[in-house]
Amino acid sequence: MIMQPPYDVTEGLSSSQVEERVRKGLINGEQEIKTKSFKEIFLANILTPFNLLNVCLAVLILLVRSPKNALFMGVIFSNALIGTVQEIRAKKLIDKLSLIAAPKATVIRDGAVKEIPVAELVKDDLTKLRPGGQICADSVVLCSECEVNESLITGESDPVLKRTGDRLMSGSFVVSGDCLAMIEHVGADNYAAQITKQAKYFKRPSSEIMDGINRFIRIIARLIVPIGIALFLRQYCGTGNSLRDSVVSTVAALVGMIPEGLVLLTSVVLAVSVIRLARKNALVQELYSIEMLARVDVLCLDKTGTITEGSMQADRIVPAAGYTAEQMKKKIGLLMGALPDENPTAMALREFCPELTSEADIKIPFSSARKWSGVHIPGCGSLVVGASEFVLRELPEALQEESRKASAAGQRVLLLAESREAFAGQQLPPDLVPVGLILLSDRLRPSARKTLDYFARQGVTIKVISGDNPLTVSQIAKRAGLADAENYVDASTLADEAAVKAAALRYTVFGRVTPEQKLWLVQAIKSEGHTVAMTGDGVNDVMALKESDCSIAMASGSDAARNVSQIVLLDSDFASMPSIVAEGRRSINNLQRSASLFLVKTIFSTIIGVLFIFLSQKYPLEPIQFTLISSATIGMPSFFLALEPNAERISGHFFINVIKKALPGALTNVVNVLMVVGIADHYSFTSAEISTLAVLLIGFTGMLYLFKICVPFSWSRMAIFILSCAAFTISVLFFRNWFSLVPLTWHLMRAAIPLAAISAGVLAGLMLFVEKAMKGLR
């Protein structure tokens, strides 16, 4: 039943009708998924339990009038600043992406044709649709007909003919034909908005690094309060320290227990990666997606926009008997020079035959119902191009054979025919004879083969998931060099979710896939323990994108796909993916290596914090001394090491890998402090000398550990090691008063030298022991 508009189709809505609908809220409005507000970004980066804990410790230090020992707050401020700046930058970039590719709609109001913003469309508006225009709201065709590309909605790339009374879905494009349509739904009632709602659930970011760091913080959070209270009571009541000294000692132990530099380093490294990726036209919307992309072992691709450009190309022509290739090309030029078609096939034919000259008196555009288009040129006759079975009942045997071969190869076959007679209305002219076949195919991206080869070498399995014909998709994937591309399945034959999941790992290419089936495929692959990345550009991809471990959208695609994705390719070029993966691997491998430096301090501080609850001696270190040790042996070298090139594949579990590397250094430092405390009475060391000796031994162990991390040496690693050693030495010699250290007298060095030799031996032995004890754990 055809809907009747509440107005004359030549007039459209009146101004008063528009105002009435606006008052009732029947206006399209903005329906994008909003990014976080500036206030939410600030609060998320500042009001964290981690930051609040450090602020409380800093307040305690300030209350006892020891401001230099609150220097550790510089790391906290830097961490919050970097996270905030990165999120604001991402917000600004993603907000620049338009809600819909076509920012204005053409409507008829008060009898005049107007262009208005999409947000100002109201229910029952009369819109004028032309080829290339996007349908901005669900509508109903009132008169005429047009062909619509619904690939962003359904995944099907073939145009769909829409006649009077047919419905048009928001997010689709007009390929050919002009029509008038009345808006049926606005705002959240649109089909695209309804689909998008399914992707609005919260999905916790998946990250081994984040999980590992949070696990450390949870453990420390449970230990820090009881250890802090017990240590303060022991220092204040059990050793006779003043209130000031007891607070400073306790805060030193607690600050050492918190891996604040690790969180900062993670933020810095990932923020640098975001900037680098932005230069490669990749917008990172979620920081930890860089890590997940580096760990991906299954990549699900759509055909269009990744392997292909989304356009057609004419591969070759096969002239019929009695015609030459030049004659056939000339006739194609005459035909396409007259036709108004702007669909991908017409554009490919115009590119193939650039000499377009024609003066036709009859022009019949392409229609999916007819499956052909044609023109009549006075003095030359009629030319027709279309699907052979709709143009001629039978082809000559030679052309039939060529058609079968081309179809088997996944090519699209068109027949060019001619007649001396004219068209009878919209009917084919009589006495048509074949001129030849035109073989077309989807245009491959120039970089498609190279990109797929890269992932094959990296051990990443590729799955091609498309709404198109499976044979066509399979052949295109084969042309692009995808291994096992002939292993395909028609998803329309998979009856239910169980059948889809059973096929998920068996097949490489999936055709005729529905949006729900895409979701099931991703879930099935994840359930087998794989890390899955998904690329997409349409509303039909939204659910699968949201479910994947790492989602990648094309900026040229739908707004819904862009908003739910963690990474947006701003140039819509899949060729940048290898460099994006390489950047992720550089960040994560180096971060994993550098993280062990920070956890040496955390593990060591926790152990000695507990030990000094039971020892009668004063805690030997101050917060400012931890700042010196952390800056020279951990912070500066780890930052530069984390920025080095590193394209190795990610292996093992972050938590276990870091613990294996950190334990030897941490336990060696525990031994160092116990040795210093143990010999203090024999050498009659003062409290300041004990602190200085402890700093020297811990710094020396840190340099030995850094040396091990830098092996094998490169020029950059050698420079990092030398600069770190120089920074620590200069601080101890020339800025000792600031760090509460005493001069390096012979009395002090006489104990430091043999202790350093013992420390080096302990570190070497523990490295061998831990490596052997934890062998096989990854």
Side-chain angles (χ1 to χ4, degrees), residues 7 23 159 209 222 245 284 291 400-401 420 469 581 594 640 709:
Y7 45 69
R23 283 197 303 271
I209 289 179
R222 291 180 183 137
D245 289 343
V284 178
E291 176 196 356
Q400 283 187 24
E401 182 61 24
R420 302 302 300 177
N469 181 286
V581 171
S594 299
F640 289 108
I709 290 289

Side-chain angles (χ1 to χ4, degrees), residues 50 97 365 616 693:
F50 172 78
L97 295 171
S616 58
L693 187 55

Side-chain angles (χ1 to χ4, degrees), residues 148-176:
V148 174
N149 183 324
E150 297 180 339
S151 60
L152 291 183
I153 303 295
T154 65
E156 292 276 3
S157 61
D158 292 334
V160 180
L161 179 65
K162 300 290 185 178
R163 295 190 175 93
T164 301
D166 288 342
R167 283 179 166 78
L168 305 172
M169 292 184 287
S170 54
S172 52
F173 290 85
V174 177
V175 176
S176 63

Side-chain angles (χ1 to χ4, degrees), residues 9 28 52 57 193 197 237 248 331 333 460 600 603 673 686 713 737:
V9 291
N28 205 37
L52 293 175
L57 296 178
K197 284 181 182 178
C237 303
V248 170
K331 293 180 184 297
V460 177
V600 165
I603 297 172
V673 172
T686 64
F713 271 108
N737 289 335

Side-chain angles (χ1 to χ4, degrees), residues 229-297:
I229 293 173
L231 184 60
F232 172 77
L233 293 174
R234 179 62 176 173
Q235 294 291 301
Y236 186 61
C237 303
T239 63
N241 280 343
S242 66
L243 176 64
R244 177 188 178 280
D245 289 343
S246 298
V247 169
V248 170
S249 297
T250 303
V251 170
L254 301 185
V255 167
M257 291 171 62
I258 304 170
E260 78 284 344
L262 178 57
V263 180
L264 172 61
L265 179 70
T266 304
S267 298
V268 170
V269 171
L270 295 183
V272 169
S273 291
V274 167
I275 295 170
R276 286 181 172 178
L277 292 176
R279 291 173 186 160
K280 295 169 181 159
N281 290 313
L283 171 64
V284 178
Q285 301 192 84
E286 186 179 291
L287 208 59
Y288 287 93
S289 61
I290 296 172
E291 176 196 356
M292 294 315 299
L293 187 56
R295 296 182 184 277
V296 160
D297 60 358

